[in-house]
Amino acid sequence: PEPEPEPEPEPEPVKKKKKSTSKSDKVWGPKGAQKPMSLPNMLKVIAQIYEEKAIADEVDDREQNERQSMSEFVKEYFSRTYGLKSLATKNLQALAAGVRKGHKENRRLWVFGALAGIVQVPGELFAEDAVHIVVDCLGQVWPKSSISERLAKDNPIAPLEALEEATTTGIQLTKGGAGLHSVEHIMEACVAAGDGTTIDIDTWMWLLIMEWVRFTNAGEVEVLKLFYDMDDNASGILSEAEFVEGCLHLSETITEDQAVELFMKFSRDRGGVNVLNEDAFFDLVHATPTFLPACGVIIEKGAPEEDGGGAAAAED
């Protein structure tokens, strides 16, 4: 007799995939975890966080400690404020839910959500330099201890002249962030967005972030980091000694004579002394394609490829 066919194996039950938890959900809670915090309460909390962050950063800088990230600082703020972990988590997630819900209609929520990592935004925005730029600039507009009180006012505004000074000083404090030559772009946008003499603070902060995104996407941040690495005294300009010393320290191919030649070609006169400001440094980089690789930096995308005569300075 023919053997009976073996019975077909029963199909294994399909295992349900576990829903993955994103890093954002672990910090801020999944969507719908908490009822969103009311807008007035969110604005009050965010203003207080900015004030305390500015003060904490100043202390860290003075004691030469690394600044805390915005997300970590926000979590600690709620822990300090509410004590009980369950209560702190509940309010933290309520703030995050409110920011997620309202950030498209409210610029202060958008900026805060971007800096804390609550909402997704274009560009490499979560780099801590972006946080430092906003907090440092905000700390230059008003005394740090009054940031919360000033932001609590309805639609706080400031004169453009004061904001330009604050933006310049704040960006100088933030090595590696959007550079001083970005101040012109920011202030032009402020004039267009304001009434010509004043602008609301939230729009100004939003424009600071947009400038950061522009620089990040343009690949210019690495150039500015190199500039500030060479700027030993944080003056915002490079002396001949700083530039030459920086080249010799970072590069094995640029000689002292070649560094001096590059400096003299692109430097600008300031009161009878030749210096390299950020604009001149960018001119040098763009006209000398081999300069960045010689200093161990990847050439930014879109940099002009013409040889401005200084290319040999980075070659054997």
Side-chain angles (χ1 to χ4, degrees), residues 179-190:
L180 291 176
H181 72 303
S182 69
V183 174
E184 183 178 349
H185 296 281
I186 295 170
M187 297 317 299
E188 285 176 355
C190 285

Side-chain angles (χ1 to χ4, degrees), residues 2 19 32 40 46 62 69 95 111 115 130 155 163-164 166 176 179 186 206 212 242 251 266 311 315:
E2 294 183 3
K19 188 177 180 181
I46 290 171
R62 184 170 61 246
S69 71
L95 172 66
V111 170
L115 297 179
N155 193 32
L163 290 181
E164 182 172 7
I186 295 170
W206 179 75
W212 167 262
E242 286 177 322
S251 174
F266 292 96
E315 297 176 352

Side-chain angles (χ1 to χ4, degrees), residues 129 175-177 220-230:
D129 282 337
K175 293 187 176 183
E220 296 179 358
V221 173
E222 292 302 320
V223 179
L224 288 165
K225 284 182 177 178
L226 178 60
F227 179 88
Y228 281 116
D229 282 344
M230 292 183 173

Side-chain angles (χ1 to χ4, degrees), residues 255-272:
T255 67
E256 182 174 353
D257 288 342
Q258 290 167 340
V260 170
E261 182 182 348
L262 273 178
F263 180 86
M264 295 308 297
K265 179 169 184 175
F266 292 96
S267 60
R268 301 175 183 181
D269 180 79
R270 174 179 283 191

Side-chain angles (χ1 to χ4, degrees), residues 13-306:
V14 178
K15 294 182 180 180
K16 292 184 178 180
K17 291 184 178 180
K18 292 183 179 180
K19 188 177 180 181
S20 61
T21 303
S22 68
K23 184 178 179 181
S24 177
D25 286 350
K26 288 179 181 179
V27 177
W28 309 112
K31 293 181 181 179
Q34 292 292 339
K35 181 181 178 181
M37 188 181 289
S38 68
L39 180 60
N41 284 343
M42 280 194 292
L43 297 180
K44 182 179 179 180
V45 168
I46 290 171
Q48 189 64 40
I49 288 173
Y50 277 133
E51 177 176 307
E52 293 191 18
K53 183 73 166 74
I55 293 172
D57 285 352
E58 185 177 41
V59 173
D60 283 337
D61 291 348
R62 184 170 61 246
E63 296 180 355
Q64 297 184 334
N65 295 327
E66 186 176 348
R67 292 183 180 186
Q68 198 171 18
S69 71
M70 180 62 93
S71 61
E72 287 297 323
F73 186 86
V74 172
K75 286 190 292 182
E76 283 198 7
Y77 168 84
F78 278 91
S79 295
R80 292 194 307 270
T81 303
Y82 293 98
L84 284 175
K85 184 178 179 180
S86 59
L87 195 57
T89 300
K90 179 181 178 180
N91 282 276
L92 173 67
Q93 293 183 354
L95 172 66
V99 170
R100 285 167 171 164
K101 180 181 178 181
H103 73 277
K104 293 181 180 179
E105 289 78 39
N106 186 292
R107 279 181 172 168
R108 191 176 303 178
L109 297 185
W110 189 95
V111 170
F112 178 80
L115 297 179
I118 298 173
V119 298
Q120 296 296 317
V121 290
E124 296 293 332
L125 196 53
F126 298 137
E128 285 306 309
D129 282 337
V131 178
H132 300 334
I133 287 173
V134 172
V135 174
D136 285 342
C137 288
L138 197 58
Q140 295 299 317
V141 179
W142 302 308
K144 294 178 178 64
S145 59
S146 69
I147 289 176
S148 178
E149 178 186 352
R150 300 295 185 94
L151 282 178
K153 294 181 179 179
D154 214 17
N155 193 32
I157 62 172
L160 289 175
E161 185 177 350
L163 290 181
E164 182 172 7
E165 183 178 346
T167 303
T168 302
T169 304
I171 288 177
Q172 279 181 315
L173 291 172
T174 309
K175 293 187 176 183
L180 291 176
H181 72 303
S182 69
V183 174
E184 183 178 349
H185 296 281
I186 295 170
M187 297 317 299
E188 285 176 355
C190 285
V191 170
D195 62 9
T197 57
T198 63
I199 191 173
D200 69 276
I201 292 295
D202 292 313
T203 299
W204 170 67
M205 292 170 67
W206 179 75
L207 290 170
L208 284 173
I209 289 295
M210 288 298 96
E211 184 67 9
W212 167 262
V213 173
R214 185 181 77 84
F215 267 112
T216 301
N217 291 343
E220 296 179 358
V221 173
E222 292 302 320
V223 179
L224 288 165
K225 284 182 177 178
L226 178 60
F227 179 88
Y228 281 116
D229 282 344
M230 292 183 173
D231 185 15
D232 289 334
N233 61 0
S235 64
I237 57 174
L238 297 181
S239 66
E240 180 177 346
E242 286 177 322
F243 178 76
V244 172
E245 183 179 347
C247 288
L248 297 180
H249 176 71
L250 294 168
S251 174
E252 295 180 356
T253 59
I254 301 178
T255 67
E256 182 174 353
D257 288 342
Q258 290 167 340
V260 170
E261 182 182 348
L262 273 178
F263 180 86
M264 295 308 297
K265 179 169 184 175
F266 292 96
S267 60
R268 301 175 183 181
D269 180 79
R270 174 179 283 191
V273 178
N274 282 8
V275 297
L276 280 174
N277 60 14
E278 287 181 3
D279 286 335
F281 192 74
F282 268 88
D283 290 343
L284 184 156
V285 168
H286 289 165
T288 316
T290 51
F291 177 74
L292 290 182
C295 293
V297 178
I298 298 174
I299 298 179
E300 58 178 321
K301 294 180 181 179
E305 293 297 323
E306 74 266 20

